[in-house]
Amino acid sequence: MSTRTATPTGGPSMPPRRPGGMFGGGPGSLGMTLPPEKARDFSGSLRRMGARLRPERVVIAGVMVLGVISVVFAILGPKLLGTATNIIFDGVVGKQLPPGVTQEQAVQMLRASGNNLQADMLAAMHVVPGEGVDFTALAKVLTLVAALYLLSSLFSWAQNYLMAGVTQRTIYRLREEVDVKLGRLPLRYFDTHARGDLLSRVTNDIDNISTTLQQTLTQMITSVLTVIGVLAMMVWISPLLSLISLLTVPLSFAVTMLIARRSQRQFVAQWEWTGRLNGHVEEMYTGHDLVKVFGHQARAIEEFDVANEQMFQSSFKAQFISGIIQPAMMFIANLNYVAIAVIGGLRVATGAMSLGDVQAFIQYSRQFTMPITQIASITNLLQSGIASAERVFELLDEPEEEPDTEHPKELTAARGRITFERVSFRYEPDEPLIEDLNLEVAPGQSVAIVGPTGAGKTTLVNLLMRFYEIDSGRILLDGVDSQDLTRDDLRRTFGMVLQDTWLFGGTIRDNIAYGAQAPTDDEILAAARAAYVDHFVRTLPDSYDTVLTDDAANVSAGEQQLLTIARAFLADPAVLILDEATSSVDTRTEVLIQKAMNRLRVGRTSFVIAHRLSTVRHADIILVLDHGRIIERGTHPDLLAAGGFYHELYNSQFLEAPEGAL
Amino acid sequence: MRDLLTRFLQPYRKQLAIVVVLLLLQAIGNLYLPSLNADIINNGVVKGDAAYILRVGALMLVVTLLVGGCAVLGVYFSAQTAMALGRDVRGSLFRNVESFSLRELNQFGAPSLITRNTNDVQQVQMLLGLTMMISAPLMAVGGVFMAMREDVQLSALLLVIIPLMAAVVGLMVTRAVPLFRSMQRKIDRINGVLRENLSGIRVIRAFVRTDFEQRRFAEANADLTATALSVTRLFAIALPSLMLIMNLSTVAIVWFGGHLVDNGQMPIGNLTAFLSYIMLILTSVLMAVMMLIMVPRAAVSAERIQQVLDTQTAITDPAVPELAAGPARGVVEFRDVEFRYPGAEESVLSHVSFRLEPGQFTAVVGSTGSGKTTLINLIPRLYDVTGGAVLLDGRDLRAMPQAEVRGTIGFVPQRSMLFAGTVAANLRFGRADATDEQMWHALEVAQAREFVAEMPGGLEAPVDQGGANVSGGQRQRLAIARAIVRRPRVYVFDDSFSALDFATDARLRAALKSETHDATVVVVAQRVSSIMHADQIIVLDAGSVVGIGNHTDLMSECATYREIVFSQLSEDEVA
């Protein structure tokens, strides 16, 4: 759902961004895939991934068995078809010979007339001279072949079907685990890791693992088996031809590697220029008003043309070079085909091989190359998949939040007295922040926090809510150490209305109801009325059932704020944390927000990050922060009299230049 | 899609023709090889003529080489054509969009335009780059032709096999595509939930709703898994059934072919060739059908591209511009201006009239939806008025060249945006020939000198895309400096001080005062305290001017103004 602030507030310093800046934060953000990455510990991550499949091991075993059978049947096919062809060939030759003669005699006759080659060939066949094709035998063989193919397909289907279930279940469990893990990570993790990267791990990387699992497991087994089986058959038929065919493997490999290496350079260049071009387009279109107002169009087009041309050059070369692989493979396959046709033909003519065998061999060599290329692409996919798995495992290995104390104290009817006792805290060990803070806030009092934009103000929020743990000292809620309470109990006593109005893609009713566990409709309406938002909701076509859309087109920023206040009303907390910053809110709604906030604060202790002077002036305690340190505290009159930072801040509101200020 | 392709492929007619010819030769060559093999068997093997076998073998080798050569050249030209087309389309798109006014841009929305300029072009380009688009059908047709040449009777089998194949693939595709789309939606949904959870982690934990969120996620997860399972199971059947069809076809051919051979109607070598043809035909049909899936997607993309190319901007330079009467002074006048979005029921602005003089500081206030930003956008002619006129130094904006209008104006929009590059590059956006001295001066006025001096490289310090490596307040100040360095006659600030704290805001205003003291300044403001001392305050309410004057006058005469002021300041602060 929409949030209004872009930068995370209230946290330690962020690590440097990944190269690629904003739009590199999510691969596929523009629908383009990144080049595959490599895992750092391939075998380790592979083993871990394998361990995740353990619950499915029975099914996987079954799948493997099915796969083996399927492959075996498929491999036998061409050989048997070759036998069928031989039967036909026998018939063809037989018809040409005079009947009544035995095969032996026919051979001798041929030798006598000097046709030695034909004699050799005939000697190796099973011919009944005078007879045509033995269709009974043919029918038998063909039926067997058909049955084998049918069964093979059946088993292959069953294999894929079962594997689909395995994959999906495993991924389902992985997603589940990751989501639960996210709920247990300390807030510090979220503040210190780029959101784009985290999101990528949880979405893109898991998707990648899913694709990998689906395709590699079954295909790996079948491809490897097919290669072995086909090779075995080929060798059985003819070791010589097999040798020739085998030569194609290293040849293909070498050619592919060579081409891939050269094209890789071009692909990297293409990827870079694509990034630059798209970045330029994104900037110019998003900032179109600026481009127009500053008359920048011509320059924008110039810069575009440069990048566009470069992208053309590199992508053209990349496409061409990588596109050569297919013709090259086809060339090698054709060479292989020619060799088999010629040499096989010669050997059939000399009777060293049967025609059917040659035919079978041709089929086998076609069956040979496909699984090899499949294995190559699978290894690539596997690399990328395991790299993704590694990134997900990294996330799962992160240390979790400290569990709640073992014997938590109960909190009955919180009244809202907050005490800071010698509290010290810092995000980074060498950057002091809050040192030895003592503060006593009575129930119902309001504390105004003022200061320039910076991490300081939200730090107090972080500590009160135990989003971060203090380094030393205690924070007491009604005299009870907040660390002696469960986090949930503690947080239920607080209500937050922040500057970034987080609402989710549900109905307005659901969003307000978020504040309590199972509120009644009456309670929800009461909260909406208290927040002055009821009237507005009723002007919407679906009233409380309106679904809040992603880009918040139907609810303005000010109205969103009112909804979050209604949410806080419903939660009915003893202590409030409010952020008054409201940018781009129209004045009418601004008034409502103020009224709503003031009403909310009645009878509740409140910590207000103040932006309105009236709030500050009437606060019971004012804390002045600068760079995260509390530099002044007191009431308004006290601080004015002190003549320090607060004094200057207050007076700069009404700076009067000699002839009238801007 | 046809229009788009015909228009952009025009300059590449020759290359396309070459590609087609090359692919045709390649197909013929590939189809000729099995035929030569048949020849070897029929006339070499059966007749025991070893020399013949070798001769034909050599011929096959030559054909193989030729096919290889054609294939490589084919890839070259098709890659070139496809990539060139992509480049040309991208260029045309960009040029057209750059000519758009804000109105046309908002018609599509920047994100959509970006996608059209990147992804959609990619789709079309990809389709074109597939030489298979041409070669697969060629092979299929050629294969059928050759098969029929071998034996017409046996080819009758094809009448059964090919439609069966196409039907299975087609069925699978039509079931798979909607499932894929559904799966994509569910993936988007689950990713959306995760994104929400990450961005709202504080709120979720504060309201103790982690369980609720986890349940939401589990639901989306289960939903997605169910759909993904359906899709993968659908595909599980696909390949095996296709293989089965191919294999059973082979069996059928051997059976029927056997009869034909026995009857002497077909030489045995041709049987082997026939088997090869079948394989070629079926694989080609498979690829052709697969590619048919890609065509609709590319067509959709092409449509989206065409839409943008067909849009012409309404804001153009006049054919005969009106010449300036004297030197530029910076007098801006709105005369009975009306602005209404096309097709809208109500006007955003109506009967707006006022005058801005040089040396004067004017503030525009009003609630959101009162038309402030629209009003401001009319000054540099980002939009054209639908009624009345906006004049600059007495001339209607529409009678002036746009470049002249904008050259007079320094604009700082609400959303302060910087571009990737350096600080200097961004400042030069405002003025291409700005010297270092001028830039430092502008930065100083904008209260940005200090932090820029601290950045590594100073003026040459890097700026990330969107200005992500500087804070919101710093971004605003740099945007202001960009306008200042232009030294325009008219300054327009649209709520440009919102991210600044009170102290910086005040200092900035003081510095701006002296910098702009003989320029026309107009400011849209939310903070009443910053504009109370303006020379002229224009109060807008629902698109109409309800008050013009200074603070004191308006306080006594304009109810809307009073309401706005009191919403922000207490009684005594106003005095």
Side-chain angles (χ1 to χ4, degrees), chain A residues 1 30 95 118 157 185 203 283 285 305 514 586 662, chain B residues 46 95 117 119 191 205 213 237 262 368 420 509 513:
Chain A
M1 228 340 240
L30 290 175
K95 261 230 177 115
Q118 285 181 306
W157 167 69
L185 288 174
T203 56
E283 280 198 324
Y285 287 2
D305 282 342
Y514 213 69
D586 68 272
L662 275 172
Chain B
V46 174
R95 275 171 171 71
N117 212 336
N119 287 16
N191 290 350
R205 293 199 182 179
E213 292 299 328
I237 260 203
D262 196 51
T368 313
R509 282 183 282 125
K513 176 77 189 163

PDB file of all heavy atoms in Angstrom, chain A residues 1 30 95 118 157 185 203 283 285 305 514 586 662, chain B residues 46 95 117 119 191 205 213 237 262 368 420 509 513:
ATOM      1  N   MET A   1       0.862  -1.192   0.000  1.00  0.00           N
ATOM      2  CA  MET A   1       0.000   0.000   0.000  1.00  0.00           C
ATOM      3  C   MET A   1       0.883   1.222   0.000  1.00  0.00           C
ATOM      4  O   MET A   1       2.104   1.122   0.107  1.00  0.00           O
ATOM      5  CB  MET A   1      -0.816  -0.026   1.273  1.00  0.00           C
ATOM      6  CG  MET A   1      -2.321   0.229   1.096  1.00  0.00           C
ATOM      7  SD  MET A   1      -2.900   1.021  -0.350  1.00  0.00           S
ATOM      8  CE  MET A   1      -3.679   2.428   0.331  1.00  0.00           C
ATOM      9  N   LEU A  30      12.378  -3.980 -14.902  1.00  0.00           N
ATOM     10  CA  LEU A  30      11.894  -3.546 -16.202  1.00  0.00           C
ATOM     11  C   LEU A  30      11.624  -4.765 -17.079  1.00  0.00           C
ATOM     12  O   LEU A  30      11.640  -4.692 -18.279  1.00  0.00           O
ATOM     13  CB  LEU A  30      12.906  -2.628 -16.875  1.00  0.00           C
ATOM     14  CG  LEU A  30      13.033  -1.263 -16.208  1.00  0.00           C
ATOM     15  CD1 LEU A  30      14.141  -0.468 -16.851  1.00  0.00           C
ATOM     16  CD2 LEU A  30      11.733  -0.492 -16.296  1.00  0.00           C
ATOM     17  N   LYS A  95      12.266 -60.390 -52.748  1.00  0.00           N
ATOM     18  CA  LYS A  95      11.413 -60.384 -53.944  1.00  0.00           C
ATOM     19  C   LYS A  95      12.248 -60.371 -55.221  1.00  0.00           C
ATOM     20  O   LYS A  95      11.825 -60.853 -56.252  1.00  0.00           O
ATOM     21  CB  LYS A  95      10.525 -59.121 -53.919  1.00  0.00           C
ATOM     22  CG  LYS A  95       9.139 -59.372 -53.422  1.00  0.00           C
ATOM     23  CD  LYS A  95       8.095 -58.796 -54.361  1.00  0.00           C
ATOM     24  CE  LYS A  95       6.720 -59.160 -53.828  1.00  0.00           C
ATOM     25  NZ  LYS A  95       5.962 -57.986 -53.425  1.00  0.00           N
ATOM     26  N   GLN A 118      27.432 -57.317 -53.075  1.00  0.00           N
ATOM     27  CA  GLN A 118      26.054 -57.676 -52.808  1.00  0.00           C
ATOM     28  C   GLN A 118      25.969 -59.019 -52.105  1.00  0.00           C
ATOM     29  O   GLN A 118      25.106 -59.234 -51.275  1.00  0.00           O
ATOM     30  CB  GLN A 118      25.259 -57.717 -54.121  1.00  0.00           C
ATOM     31  CG  GLN A 118      24.962 -56.317 -54.632  1.00  0.00           C
ATOM     32  CD  GLN A 118      24.159 -56.370 -55.913  1.00  0.00           C
ATOM     33  OE1 GLN A 118      24.541 -57.022 -56.885  1.00  0.00           O
ATOM     34  NE2 GLN A 118      23.024 -55.707 -55.914  1.00  0.00           N
ATOM     35  N   TRP A 157       4.871 -38.870 -18.366  1.00  0.00           N
ATOM     36  CA  TRP A 157       3.831 -37.978 -17.874  1.00  0.00           C
ATOM     37  C   TRP A 157       3.666 -38.112 -16.358  1.00  0.00           C
ATOM     38  O   TRP A 157       3.614 -37.125 -15.632  1.00  0.00           O
ATOM     39  CB  TRP A 157       2.506 -38.279 -18.569  1.00  0.00           C
ATOM     40  CG  TRP A 157       1.351 -37.633 -17.898  1.00  0.00           C
ATOM     41  CD1 TRP A 157       1.079 -36.312 -17.839  1.00  0.00           C
ATOM     42  CD2 TRP A 157       0.332 -38.284 -17.149  1.00  0.00           C
ATOM     43  NE1 TRP A 157      -0.066 -36.086 -17.103  1.00  0.00           N
ATOM     44  CE2 TRP A 157      -0.537 -37.283 -16.677  1.00  0.00           C
ATOM     45  CE3 TRP A 157       0.047 -39.617 -16.847  1.00  0.00           C
ATOM     46  CZ2 TRP A 157      -1.665 -37.564 -15.916  1.00  0.00           C
ATOM     47  CZ3 TRP A 157      -1.075 -39.910 -16.094  1.00  0.00           C
ATOM     48  CH2 TRP A 157      -1.919 -38.891 -15.631  1.00  0.00           C
ATOM     49  N   LEU A 185      12.397 -11.350  12.784  1.00  0.00           N
ATOM     50  CA  LEU A 185      13.639 -10.593  12.685  1.00  0.00           C
ATOM     51  C   LEU A 185      13.510  -9.271  13.427  1.00  0.00           C
ATOM     52  O   LEU A 185      12.459  -8.656  13.426  1.00  0.00           O
ATOM     53  CB  LEU A 185      13.970 -10.327  11.220  1.00  0.00           C
ATOM     54  CG  LEU A 185      14.440 -11.529  10.413  1.00  0.00           C
ATOM     55  CD1 LEU A 185      14.584 -11.147   8.956  1.00  0.00           C
ATOM     56  CD2 LEU A 185      15.773 -12.022  10.944  1.00  0.00           C
ATOM     57  N   THR A 203      11.017 -12.608  -3.124  1.00  0.00           N
ATOM     58  CA  THR A 203      10.156 -12.841  -4.277  1.00  0.00           C
ATOM     59  C   THR A 203      10.928 -13.437  -5.449  1.00  0.00           C
ATOM     60  O   THR A 203      10.788 -14.613  -5.750  1.00  0.00           O
ATOM     61  CB  THR A 203       9.477 -11.533  -4.713  1.00  0.00           C
ATOM     62  OG1 THR A 203      10.485 -10.567  -4.960  1.00  0.00           O
ATOM     63  CG2 THR A 203       8.548 -11.019  -3.644  1.00  0.00           C
ATOM     64  N   GLU A 283      14.205   8.802 -16.363  1.00  0.00           N
ATOM     65  CA  GLU A 283      14.395  10.136 -15.805  1.00  0.00           C
ATOM     66  C   GLU A 283      13.677  11.194 -16.621  1.00  0.00           C
ATOM     67  O   GLU A 283      12.988  12.062 -16.075  1.00  0.00           O
ATOM     68  CB  GLU A 283      15.886  10.472 -15.777  1.00  0.00           C
ATOM     69  CG  GLU A 283      16.607   9.856 -14.630  1.00  0.00           C
ATOM     70  CD  GLU A 283      17.921  10.541 -14.375  1.00  0.00           C
ATOM     71  OE1 GLU A 283      18.567  10.951 -15.350  1.00  0.00           O
ATOM     72  OE2 GLU A 283      18.267  10.667 -13.196  1.00  0.00           O
ATOM     73  N   TYR A 285      11.177  10.973 -18.688  1.00  0.00           N
ATOM     74  CA  TYR A 285       9.720  10.901 -18.670  1.00  0.00           C
ATOM     75  C   TYR A 285       9.158  11.285 -17.310  1.00  0.00           C
ATOM     76  O   TYR A 285       8.155  11.978 -17.207  1.00  0.00           O
ATOM     77  CB  TYR A 285       9.250   9.487 -19.054  1.00  0.00           C
ATOM     78  CG  TYR A 285       9.408   9.160 -20.521  1.00  0.00           C
ATOM     79  CD1 TYR A 285       9.976  10.049 -21.420  1.00  0.00           C
ATOM     80  CD2 TYR A 285       8.993   7.941 -21.015  1.00  0.00           C
ATOM     81  CE1 TYR A 285      10.121   9.742 -22.754  1.00  0.00           C
ATOM     82  CE2 TYR A 285       9.128   7.617 -22.351  1.00  0.00           C
ATOM     83  CZ  TYR A 285       9.696   8.518 -23.216  1.00  0.00           C
ATOM     84  OH  TYR A 285       9.829   8.188 -24.543  1.00  0.00           O
ATOM     85  N   ASP A 305      20.033   9.456 -28.305  1.00  0.00           N
ATOM     86  CA  ASP A 305      20.542   8.879 -29.550  1.00  0.00           C
ATOM     87  C   ASP A 305      21.884   8.199 -29.342  1.00  0.00           C
ATOM     88  O   ASP A 305      22.146   7.133 -29.903  1.00  0.00           O
ATOM     89  CB  ASP A 305      20.665   9.967 -30.620  1.00  0.00           C
ATOM     90  CG  ASP A 305      19.320  10.322 -31.229  1.00  0.00           C
ATOM     91  OD1 ASP A 305      18.389   9.507 -31.084  1.00  0.00           O
ATOM     92  OD2 ASP A 305      19.210  11.397 -31.834  1.00  0.00           O
ATOM     93  N   TYR A 514      -7.943  -2.697  12.029  1.00  0.00           N
ATOM     94  CA  TYR A 514      -6.587  -3.156  12.317  1.00  0.00           C
ATOM     95  C   TYR A 514      -6.164  -2.795  13.724  1.00  0.00           C
ATOM     96  O   TYR A 514      -5.273  -3.419  14.297  1.00  0.00           O
ATOM     97  CB  TYR A 514      -5.629  -2.488  11.319  1.00  0.00           C
ATOM     98  CG  TYR A 514      -4.450  -3.312  10.928  1.00  0.00           C
ATOM     99  CD1 TYR A 514      -4.585  -4.449  10.157  1.00  0.00           C
ATOM    100  CD2 TYR A 514      -3.174  -2.944  11.320  1.00  0.00           C
ATOM    101  CE1 TYR A 514      -3.490  -5.190   9.777  1.00  0.00           C
ATOM    102  CE2 TYR A 514      -2.068  -3.677  10.944  1.00  0.00           C
ATOM    103  CZ  TYR A 514      -2.239  -4.802  10.173  1.00  0.00           C
ATOM    104  OH  TYR A 514      -1.152  -5.530   9.781  1.00  0.00           O
ATOM    105  N   ASP A 586      -4.428  19.558   2.347  1.00  0.00           N
ATOM    106  CA  ASP A 586      -5.127  20.836   2.201  1.00  0.00           C
ATOM    107  C   ASP A 586      -5.586  21.338   3.562  1.00  0.00           C
ATOM    108  O   ASP A 586      -5.724  20.581   4.510  1.00  0.00           O
ATOM    109  CB  ASP A 586      -6.293  20.691   1.230  1.00  0.00           C
ATOM    110  CG  ASP A 586      -7.378  19.818   1.809  1.00  0.00           C
ATOM    111  OD1 ASP A 586      -7.280  18.593   1.613  1.00  0.00           O
ATOM    112  OD2 ASP A 586      -8.287  20.346   2.465  1.00  0.00           O
ATOM    113  N   LEU A 662      10.173  37.573   2.422  1.00  0.00           N
ATOM    114  CA  LEU A 662       9.607  36.739   1.358  1.00  0.00           C
ATOM    115  C   LEU A 662       8.578  35.798   1.975  1.00  0.00           C
ATOM    116  O   LEU A 662       8.852  35.209   2.997  1.00  0.00           O
ATOM    117  CB  LEU A 662      10.717  35.896   0.714  1.00  0.00           C
ATOM    118  CG  LEU A 662      11.491  36.599  -0.400  1.00  0.00           C
ATOM    119  CD1 LEU A 662      12.670  35.769  -0.816  1.00  0.00           C
ATOM    120  CD2 LEU A 662      10.576  36.807  -1.591  1.00  0.00           C
TER     121      LEU A 662
ATOM    122  N   VAL B  46      21.896 -50.685 -52.335  1.00  0.00           N
ATOM    123  CA  VAL B  46      21.190 -51.818 -52.943  1.00  0.00           C
ATOM    124  C   VAL B  46      21.956 -52.361 -54.151  1.00  0.00           C
ATOM    125  O   VAL B  46      22.061 -53.547 -54.366  1.00  0.00           O
ATOM    126  CB  VAL B  46      19.763 -51.408 -53.361  1.00  0.00           C
ATOM    127  CG1 VAL B  46      19.082 -52.537 -54.116  1.00  0.00           C
ATOM    128  CG2 VAL B  46      18.941 -51.019 -52.150  1.00  0.00           C
ATOM    129  N   ARG B  95      11.484  10.677 -29.414  1.00  0.00           N
ATOM    130  CA  ARG B  95      11.334  12.008 -30.001  1.00  0.00           C
ATOM    131  C   ARG B  95       9.899  12.505 -29.865  1.00  0.00           C
ATOM    132  O   ARG B  95       9.655  13.663 -29.549  1.00  0.00           O
ATOM    133  CB  ARG B  95      11.704  11.967 -31.480  1.00  0.00           C
ATOM    134  CG  ARG B  95      13.157  12.128 -31.712  1.00  0.00           C
ATOM    135  CD  ARG B  95      13.512  11.873 -33.174  1.00  0.00           C
ATOM    136  NE  ARG B  95      14.886  12.227 -33.417  1.00  0.00           N
ATOM    137  CZ  ARG B  95      15.919  11.531 -32.962  1.00  0.00           C
ATOM    138  NH1 ARG B  95      15.716  10.444 -32.263  1.00  0.00           N
ATOM    139  NH2 ARG B  95      17.148  11.926 -33.212  1.00  0.00           N
ATOM    140  N   ASN B 117       8.392   2.320 -24.044  1.00  0.00           N
ATOM    141  CA  ASN B 117       9.654   2.614 -24.706  1.00  0.00           C
ATOM    142  C   ASN B 117      10.696   1.531 -24.461  1.00  0.00           C
ATOM    143  O   ASN B 117      11.708   1.488 -25.122  1.00  0.00           O
ATOM    144  CB  ASN B 117      10.193   3.963 -24.210  1.00  0.00           C
ATOM    145  CG  ASN B 117      10.963   4.686 -25.294  1.00  0.00           C
ATOM    146  OD1 ASN B 117      11.474   4.079 -26.221  1.00  0.00           O
ATOM    147  ND2 ASN B 117      11.050   5.983 -25.171  1.00  0.00           N
ATOM    148  N   ASN B 119      10.059  -2.201 -22.538  1.00  0.00           N
ATOM    149  CA  ASN B 119       9.539  -3.564 -22.662  1.00  0.00           C
ATOM    150  C   ASN B 119       8.829  -3.842 -23.968  1.00  0.00           C
ATOM    151  O   ASN B 119       9.061  -4.860 -24.614  1.00  0.00           O
ATOM    152  CB  ASN B 119       8.547  -3.858 -21.525  1.00  0.00           C
ATOM    153  CG  ASN B 119       9.258  -4.027 -20.226  1.00  0.00           C
ATOM    154  OD1 ASN B 119      10.410  -3.648 -20.115  1.00  0.00           O
ATOM    155  ND2 ASN B 119       8.602  -4.584 -19.242  1.00  0.00           N
ATOM    156  N   ASN B 191       3.623 -10.920  -3.904  1.00  0.00           N
ATOM    157  CA  ASN B 191       4.709  -9.961  -3.788  1.00  0.00           C
ATOM    158  C   ASN B 191       4.213  -8.647  -3.213  1.00  0.00           C
ATOM    159  O   ASN B 191       4.940  -7.975  -2.468  1.00  0.00           O
ATOM    160  CB  ASN B 191       5.351  -9.722  -5.161  1.00  0.00           C
ATOM    161  CG  ASN B 191       6.123 -10.933  -5.624  1.00  0.00           C
ATOM    162  OD1 ASN B 191       6.327 -11.869  -4.857  1.00  0.00           O
ATOM    163  ND2 ASN B 191       6.550 -10.938  -6.864  1.00  0.00           N
ATOM    164  N   ARG B 205       3.882  -4.336  13.703  1.00  0.00           N
ATOM    165  CA  ARG B 205       4.307  -4.778  15.023  1.00  0.00           C
ATOM    166  C   ARG B 205       3.693  -3.917  16.119  1.00  0.00           C
ATOM    167  O   ARG B 205       3.353  -4.413  17.188  1.00  0.00           O
ATOM    168  CB  ARG B 205       5.829  -4.749  15.117  1.00  0.00           C
ATOM    169  CG  ARG B 205       6.434  -5.771  14.202  1.00  0.00           C
ATOM    170  CD  ARG B 205       7.839  -6.128  14.542  1.00  0.00           C
ATOM    171  NE  ARG B 205       8.334  -7.075  13.564  1.00  0.00           N
ATOM    172  CZ  ARG B 205       9.544  -7.571  13.556  1.00  0.00           C
ATOM    173  NH1 ARG B 205      10.408  -7.190  14.479  1.00  0.00           N
ATOM    174  NH2 ARG B 205       9.913  -8.417  12.633  1.00  0.00           N
ATOM    175  N   GLU B 213      -1.062 -10.750   9.513  1.00  0.00           N
ATOM    176  CA  GLU B 213      -0.332 -10.651   8.253  1.00  0.00           C
ATOM    177  C   GLU B 213       0.142 -12.009   7.784  1.00  0.00           C
ATOM    178  O   GLU B 213       0.140 -12.305   6.590  1.00  0.00           O
ATOM    179  CB  GLU B 213       0.852  -9.685   8.396  1.00  0.00           C
ATOM    180  CG  GLU B 213       0.453  -8.245   8.580  1.00  0.00           C
ATOM    181  CD  GLU B 213      -0.350  -7.695   7.416  1.00  0.00           C
ATOM    182  OE1 GLU B 213      -0.115  -8.146   6.275  1.00  0.00           O
ATOM    183  OE2 GLU B 213      -1.214  -6.836   7.640  1.00  0.00           O
ATOM    184  N   ILE B 237       1.839 -33.031 -19.124  1.00  0.00           N
ATOM    185  CA  ILE B 237       1.267 -33.864 -20.184  1.00  0.00           C
ATOM    186  C   ILE B 237       1.796 -33.462 -21.546  1.00  0.00           C
ATOM    187  O   ILE B 237       1.906 -34.291 -22.453  1.00  0.00           O
ATOM    188  CB  ILE B 237      -0.276 -33.734 -20.173  1.00  0.00           C
ATOM    189  CG1 ILE B 237      -0.898 -34.923 -19.463  1.00  0.00           C
ATOM    190  CG2 ILE B 237      -0.822 -33.673 -21.570  1.00  0.00           C
ATOM    191  CD1 ILE B 237      -2.314 -35.180 -19.855  1.00  0.00           C
ATOM    192  N   ASP B 262       6.852 -53.153 -50.427  1.00  0.00           N
ATOM    193  CA  ASP B 262       6.635 -54.525 -50.862  1.00  0.00           C
ATOM    194  C   ASP B 262       5.997 -54.571 -52.251  1.00  0.00           C
ATOM    195  O   ASP B 262       6.324 -55.420 -53.076  1.00  0.00           O
ATOM    196  CB  ASP B 262       5.740 -55.234 -49.840  1.00  0.00           C
ATOM    197  CG  ASP B 262       5.791 -56.743 -50.000  1.00  0.00           C
ATOM    198  OD1 ASP B 262       6.911 -57.290 -50.043  1.00  0.00           O
ATOM    199  OD2 ASP B 262       4.714 -57.352 -50.099  1.00  0.00           O
ATOM    200  N   THR B 368      -6.112  22.023  -1.139  1.00  0.00           N
ATOM    201  CA  THR B 368      -5.804  21.114  -2.244  1.00  0.00           C
ATOM    202  C   THR B 368      -7.039  20.957  -3.117  1.00  0.00           C
ATOM    203  O   THR B 368      -8.150  20.869  -2.621  1.00  0.00           O
ATOM    204  CB  THR B 368      -5.421  19.729  -1.709  1.00  0.00           C
ATOM    205  OG1 THR B 368      -4.486  19.893  -0.663  1.00  0.00           O
ATOM    206  CG2 THR B 368      -4.815  18.893  -2.811  1.00  0.00           C
ATOM    207  N   ALA B 420      20.381  11.844 -12.571  1.00  0.00           N
ATOM    208  CA  ALA B 420      21.653  11.182 -12.306  1.00  0.00           C
ATOM    209  C   ALA B 420      22.761  11.928 -13.019  1.00  0.00           C
ATOM    210  O   ALA B 420      22.635  12.299 -14.177  1.00  0.00           O
ATOM    211  CB  ALA B 420      21.587   9.738 -12.795  1.00  0.00           C
ATOM    212  N   ARG B 509      14.587  32.334   2.401  1.00  0.00           N
ATOM    213  CA  ARG B 509      13.714  33.398   1.927  1.00  0.00           C
ATOM    214  C   ARG B 509      14.419  34.744   1.951  1.00  0.00           C
ATOM    215  O   ARG B 509      14.246  35.568   1.042  1.00  0.00           O
ATOM    216  CB  ARG B 509      12.433  33.437   2.763  1.00  0.00           C
ATOM    217  CG  ARG B 509      11.454  32.347   2.361  1.00  0.00           C
ATOM    218  CD  ARG B 509      10.162  32.416   3.130  1.00  0.00           C
ATOM    219  NE  ARG B 509      10.269  31.882   4.469  1.00  0.00           N
ATOM    220  CZ  ARG B 509       9.951  32.540   5.573  1.00  0.00           C
ATOM    221  NH1 ARG B 509       9.520  33.775   5.501  1.00  0.00           N
ATOM    222  NH2 ARG B 509      10.065  31.967   6.751  1.00  0.00           N
ATOM    223  N   LYS B 513      15.208  36.934  -1.365  1.00  0.00           N
ATOM    224  CA  LYS B 513      14.684  38.287  -1.454  1.00  0.00           C
ATOM    225  C   LYS B 513      15.665  39.212  -2.148  1.00  0.00           C
ATOM    226  O   LYS B 513      15.305  39.945  -3.060  1.00  0.00           O
ATOM    227  CB  LYS B 513      14.367  38.791  -0.038  1.00  0.00           C
ATOM    228  CG  LYS B 513      13.897  40.223   0.020  1.00  0.00           C
ATOM    229  CD  LYS B 513      12.445  40.349  -0.416  1.00  0.00           C
ATOM    230  CE  LYS B 513      12.087  41.829  -0.551  1.00  0.00           C
ATOM    231  NZ  LYS B 513      10.884  42.045  -1.316  1.00  0.00           N
TER     232      LYS B 513
END
